[in-house]
Amino acid sequence: MTSNQGRGEPVDILLVEDNPGDIRLTKEAFKEGRIANTLHVVKDGVDALDFLFQRNDYADAPRPALVLLDLNLPRKNGDEVLEELHADPTRRRIPVIVLTSSEAETDVVKSYELCASGYLTKPVDPFEFIEMLQELERFWLSIMRLPTDTSLD
């Protein structure tokens, strides 16, 4: 499955996740779902911001069409990543889906206050997790219209 506003072009997706098992399951979901989009992975909030702001080791990183963001990250947590993205006039337009194990209402509220585009709690069952990611991809990258790279500058 490919996307980009129905034009069939793959897009870049950034996964910000420090759990190796969740990284593996996400990659598996994309593979099983024949998701042709490119998945980039960083394991902490500092690297996520470097990737998104195209600095340091990520100076040549593509601007992702979608970010999947865990909240519980080393160095900078998901809330801090959301705060910095929201403060930037162009990068705040990149949709960020919080993908976390937390079911706490305070985390849900805070994520939306920090302008997350969505909040998903990771299912414990690996098959449900894969199914959820495939549905997320279908919705965000096949149904929703996302800003193009040129509209973000």
Side-chain angles (χ1 to χ4, degrees), residues 8 44 108 132 137 153:
D44 64 56
V108 175
M132 181 189 69
E137 191 278 340
D153 294 327

PDB file of all heavy atoms in Angstrom, residues 8 44 108 132 137 153:
ATOM      1  N   GLY A   8      -0.354   7.574  -4.921  1.00  0.00           N
ATOM      2  CA  GLY A   8       0.368   6.325  -4.985  1.00  0.00           C
ATOM      3  C   GLY A   8       1.854   6.448  -4.735  1.00  0.00           C
ATOM      4  O   GLY A   8       2.601   5.533  -5.039  1.00  0.00           O
ATOM      5  N   ASP A  44      15.399   7.967  20.643  1.00  0.00           N
ATOM      6  CA  ASP A  44      15.212   8.897  21.765  1.00  0.00           C
ATOM      7  C   ASP A  44      14.751  10.251  21.246  1.00  0.00           C
ATOM      8  O   ASP A  44      14.764  10.514  20.043  1.00  0.00           O
ATOM      9  CB  ASP A  44      16.488   9.015  22.611  1.00  0.00           C
ATOM     10  CG  ASP A  44      17.659   9.620  21.865  1.00  0.00           C
ATOM     11  OD1 ASP A  44      17.525  10.737  21.330  1.00  0.00           O
ATOM     12  OD2 ASP A  44      18.728   8.979  21.823  1.00  0.00           O
ATOM     13  N   VAL A 108      -3.029  11.559  27.863  1.00  0.00           N
ATOM     14  CA  VAL A 108      -3.866  11.827  26.688  1.00  0.00           C
ATOM     15  C   VAL A 108      -4.124  13.327  26.577  1.00  0.00           C
ATOM     16  O   VAL A 108      -3.897  13.940  25.522  1.00  0.00           O
ATOM     17  CB  VAL A 108      -5.206  11.050  26.763  1.00  0.00           C
ATOM     18  CG1 VAL A 108      -6.118  11.432  25.600  1.00  0.00           C
ATOM     19  CG2 VAL A 108      -4.970   9.546  26.800  1.00  0.00           C
ATOM     20  N   MET A 132      -3.453  -2.626  14.408  1.00  0.00           N
ATOM     21  CA  MET A 132      -3.652  -1.212  14.701  1.00  0.00           C
ATOM     22  C   MET A 132      -2.752  -0.344  13.816  1.00  0.00           C
ATOM     23  O   MET A 132      -3.189   0.665  13.268  1.00  0.00           O
ATOM     24  CB  MET A 132      -3.376  -0.912  16.174  1.00  0.00           C
ATOM     25  CG  MET A 132      -3.606   0.547  16.539  1.00  0.00           C
ATOM     26  SD  MET A 132      -3.036   0.954  18.188  1.00  0.00           S
ATOM     27  CE  MET A 132      -1.279   0.818  17.974  1.00  0.00           C
ATOM     28  N   GLU A 137      -1.976   3.364   9.282  1.00  0.00           N
ATOM     29  CA  GLU A 137      -1.388   3.690   7.982  1.00  0.00           C
ATOM     30  C   GLU A 137      -2.474   3.945   6.949  1.00  0.00           C
ATOM     31  O   GLU A 137      -2.409   4.914   6.190  1.00  0.00           O
ATOM     32  CB  GLU A 137      -0.455   2.571   7.524  1.00  0.00           C
ATOM     33  CG  GLU A 137       0.398   2.930   6.311  1.00  0.00           C
ATOM     34  CD  GLU A 137      -0.308   2.774   4.978  1.00  0.00           C
ATOM     35  OE1 GLU A 137      -1.318   2.055   4.886  1.00  0.00           O
ATOM     36  OE2 GLU A 137       0.147   3.399   4.001  1.00  0.00           O
ATOM     37  N   ASP A 153       7.627  24.571   3.954  1.00  0.00           N
ATOM     38  CA  ASP A 153       8.756  25.518   4.025  1.00  0.00           C
ATOM     39  C   ASP A 153       8.288  26.936   4.213  1.00  0.00           C
ATOM     40  O   ASP A 153       7.213  27.308   3.983  1.00  0.00           O
ATOM     41  CB  ASP A 153       9.606  25.408   2.755  1.00  0.00           C
ATOM     42  CG  ASP A 153      10.289  24.035   2.686  1.00  0.00           C
ATOM     43  OD1 ASP A 153      10.624  23.498   3.746  1.00  0.00           O
ATOM     44  OD2 ASP A 153      10.465  23.539   1.558  1.00  0.00           O
TER      45      ASP A 153
END
